[in-house]
Amino acid sequence: MNRTVFVGAHFKPTYKKVTVEVATGETKRGLFGGEKAVTREEKRLQQVGWSDREIDGPRLARDLDEAIQELNREDYEVISVIPVTSGAYRFQYSDEDISSSRRVFGDTERVTGGGSYGYGYGYSYTEGMLILARHKP
């Protein structure tokens, strides 16, 4: 008996540097005699979102290893591991905004020039991995 398991990939977290106030553990007297905590500024990385183009390879490796170990515990032997790719694209084409020169010849108007523009791009990324395993006899 064979079994197929899909292990999904996750995108990398994205970070930015932020400045935070950190207490030093010291206090000082305030203007009216009260005590005030002393702080200092520190730069730290803070997660702000997820990448839209890079997968988290180390996490995928850990997730894949975990799935393979589970198959091994259930007496399955891994036959193959296959990447699954997905893609995204965007394009635009237009000839409406490009002006062309027109000339009038008698009663007839002729287009003597014109143009259009367009662009497109596409890319693929690893969506996950398929593990094909066979139950050990």
Side-chain angles (χ1 to χ4, degrees):
M1 180 166 96
N2 291 341
R3 184 166 167 198
T4 303
V5 176
F6 176 75
V7 178
H10 298 273
F11 286 106
K12 282 184 178 180
T14 56
Y15 298 92
K16 74 173 186 176
K17 283 189 178 181
V18 295
T19 303
V20 294
E21 294 285 326
V22 178
T24 63
E26 300 173 4
T27 58
K28 67 178 181 178
R29 290 225 179 260
L31 184 60
F32 298 108
E35 288 193 353
K36 181 179 175 183
V38 176
T39 61
R40 72 175 189 284
E41 289 185 350
E42 259 187 29
K43 297 267 187 194
R44 291 191 180 165
L45 286 178
Q46 179 180 22
Q47 184 179 344
V48 294
W50 301 95
S51 174
D52 61 354
R53 62 185 179 271
E54 294 180 274
I55 64 162
D56 189 342
R59 179 175 177 182
L60 179 58
R62 286 189 306 270
D63 293 346
L64 189 59
D65 185 58
E66 189 177 302
I68 290 171
Q69 295 303 323
E70 180 65 26
L71 286 167
N72 289 338
R73 281 191 293 274
E74 295 174 6
D75 275 343
Y76 282 89
E77 175 185 23
V78 173
I79 298 170
S80 65
V81 179
I82 305 162
V84 177
T85 57
S86 287
Y89 68 93
R90 180 160 165 76
F91 70 92
Q92 183 175 2
Y93 170 79
S94 177
D95 61 3
E96 296 173 13
D97 298 326
I98 305 292
S99 63
S100 58
S101 57
R102 297 181 181 271
R103 293 191 182 169
V104 177
F105 297 98
D107 293 335
T108 309
E109 185 178 37
R110 292 187 187 168
V111 176
T112 59
S116 61
Y117 72 91
Y119 71 85
Y121 64 84
Y123 59 90
S124 61
Y125 57 92
T126 303
E127 185 172 335
M129 306 294 274
L130 281 176
I131 304 170
L132 178 59
R134 171 181 38 225
H135 196 268
K136 294 178 185 176

